[in-house]
DNA sequence: AAAAATATCAAACATCTGTTTGAAACATAC
DNA sequence: GTATGTTTCAAACAGATGTTTGATATTTTT
């Protein structure tokens, strides 16, 4: 059987999409199993509980993302001896998302809405799980920026990085809706790549301010 | 009886805080009425339904916010004949939040998490309600920026404004948690005003990029 | 091919959800 | 002070939720 057609991954696919669309609490296991065309009980059989399913959805996405990102940072570090430019670093942050989009044939906004939701779950199990398991990616990124901007203080780097993440997550999470509004106003539907191309100079200018 | 001690406003207060902390679906009417120390049935008596309660929570916050913001923009427009600086406009956007924080003795992050949640509710009744009723504030803001940057195209203004909103909402929504992390790293707890003072140059540089 | 382990299924379970009800308490008007 | 309208309250309601069960089917191992 194809690896993407197992009951387990059919559930993950359906859950990922529905969680991004509606949120965690607003998505029932019955809705998930209906879309995945599997039996209701199979969620608890394969994942144990809804909580674990949510974490597994994030694990699948974040492990794919951070492995591509880490590879990208490795090659950047080895090819360039001196410090990297802001634009290059920001592209390294975003491009794994575009790669994932192509590979999975799924909008970036799905992933970003998931991330945004994890972020909003300030008190929940999810935020702890994500930061425990993938916080090192953010740390690595912080170090690269500290290297690129030796004249900025550490807490300035820290905060500017979060301003940047806010822009990225927020804009990309709403990019589908925003692009529709923009289309109505300006008679042209932008590609997601164009939105990103517009955003990176904006963010780079802020980082350098 | 004090206007803030009515059953209705006790429910609004409790709901506002709980919605921001946990989300809408994750907050039951029983949790709300327990914290507000009122009877369960009083929510449906005073608000009709949970849906209406959610909308009323937003209406209370957004009408207070946008009335202060509009007043601020009015006085800015009348005092300065030529176009306004980015920094001034951004301060006008944020300062009503600081005023609300003082007046209500409640963290800004509560309001911002509420806004972020409304934003995440891409398909729900709430997003429509908010944009229908308060979208004009955003339009007014867009026009001011178009005036300040006549050389930028309209869709550039549109997108940069959304990058800015993303940074603002995301950072301020997580400001409590972020300030705690920053405190552990740098041995100093920043005031929310300091975070904003750091953020405005960042955003202004992006707008001007 | 028999045996063992794994996976699927329909049905039931207990619990929690928003909402409604009808009576009681309270406030206001005449 | 009685009558009228408004608000509070405990209890019940119907429906949805995550989870468990035990039987059946499927796959893997021997």
């Amino acid at each position: 059987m194809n690896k993407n057609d197992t009951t387990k991954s059919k559930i993950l696919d359906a859950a990922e999409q529905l969680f991004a669309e509606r949120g965690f609490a607003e998505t029932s296991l019955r809705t998930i199993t209906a879309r995945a065309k599997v039996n209701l009980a199979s969620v608890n059989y394969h994942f144990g509980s809804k909580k674990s399913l949510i974490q597994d959805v994030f694990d699948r996405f974040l492990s794919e993302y951070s492995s591509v990102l880490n590879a990208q940072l490795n090659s950047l570090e080895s090819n360039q001896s001196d410090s990297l430019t802001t634009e290059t670093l920001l592209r390294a942050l975003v491009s794994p998302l575009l790669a994932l989009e192509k590979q999975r044939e799924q909008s970036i906004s799905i992933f970003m809405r998931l991330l945004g939701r994890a972020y909003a779950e300030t008190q929940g199990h999810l935020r702890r799980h994500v930061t425990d398991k993938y916080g090192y990616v953010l740390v690595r990124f912080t170090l690269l920026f500290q290297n690129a901007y030796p004249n900025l203080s550490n807490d300035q780097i820290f905060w500017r990085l979060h301003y940047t993440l806010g822009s990225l997550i927020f804009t990309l999470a709403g990019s589908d809706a925003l692009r529709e509004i923009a289309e109505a106003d300006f008679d042209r539907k932008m590609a997601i790549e164009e939105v990103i191309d517009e955003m990176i100079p904006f963010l780079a200018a802020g980082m350098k301010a």
Side-chain angles (χ1 to χ4, degrees), chain A residues 93-205:
Chain A
L93 195 64
V94 177
S95 70
L97 296 173
L98 290 166
L100 253 177
E101 182 185 45
K102 293 251 160 63
Q103 179 200 316
R104 292 255 215 96
E105 297 176 13
Q106 200 159 44
S107 164
I108 281 188
S109 74
I110 297 278
F111 306 131
M112 291 298 98
R113 262 182 276 175
L114 273 181
L115 264 190
R117 289 194 191 279
Y119 199 89
E121 290 257 322
T122 40
Q123 57 156 12
H125 63 105
L126 187 55
R127 189 183 165 83
R128 232 171 303 121
H129 178 78
V130 168
T131 52
D132 282 1
K133 212 160 169 197
Y134 302 96
Y136 74 94
V137 185
L138 189 63
V139 172
R140 184 172 184 193
F141 219 81
T142 310
L143 293 175
L144 285 171
F145 266 109
Q146 283 174 345
N147 207 44
Y149 295 101
N151 54 318
L152 285 181
S153 73
N154 283 358
D155 60 339
Q156 276 178 318
I157 298 270
F158 171 87
W159 283 103
R160 292 188 182 188
L161 207 54
H162 279 284
Y163 307 151
T164 300
L165 289 179
S167 254
L168 270 174
I169 295 179
F170 188 88
T171 307
L172 293 180
S175 60
D176 291 348
L178 289 175
R179 280 188 298 153
E180 270 175 40
I181 297 171
E183 184 186 17
D185 287 2
F186 313 120
D187 292 323
R188 197 175 67 84
K189 178 99 173 193
M190 287 175 79
I192 189 82
E193 285 86 355
E194 290 181 87
V195 177
I196 291 170
D197 287 345
E198 286 268 352
M199 193 169 6
I200 285 182
F202 174 94
L203 297 174

Side-chain angles (χ1 to χ4, degrees), chain A residues 42-86:
Chain A
S42 55
V43 172
N44 289 278
Y45 177 76
H46 284 287
F47 298 93
S49 68
K50 187 182 181 181
K51 245 184 194 173
S52 305
L53 170 63
I54 295 175
Q55 291 190 354
D56 282 17
V57 166
F58 271 84
D59 278 339
R60 188 177 68 159
F61 161 63
L62 285 177
S63 70
E64 287 180 30
Y65 170 77
S66 60
S67 105
V68 177
L69 175 64
N70 274 316
Q72 204 129 24
L73 293 181
N74 287 339
S75 84
L76 280 180
E77 277 184 328
S78 63
N79 286 350
Q80 299 193 224
S81 55
D82 53 348
S83 69
L84 303 156
T85 69
T86 316

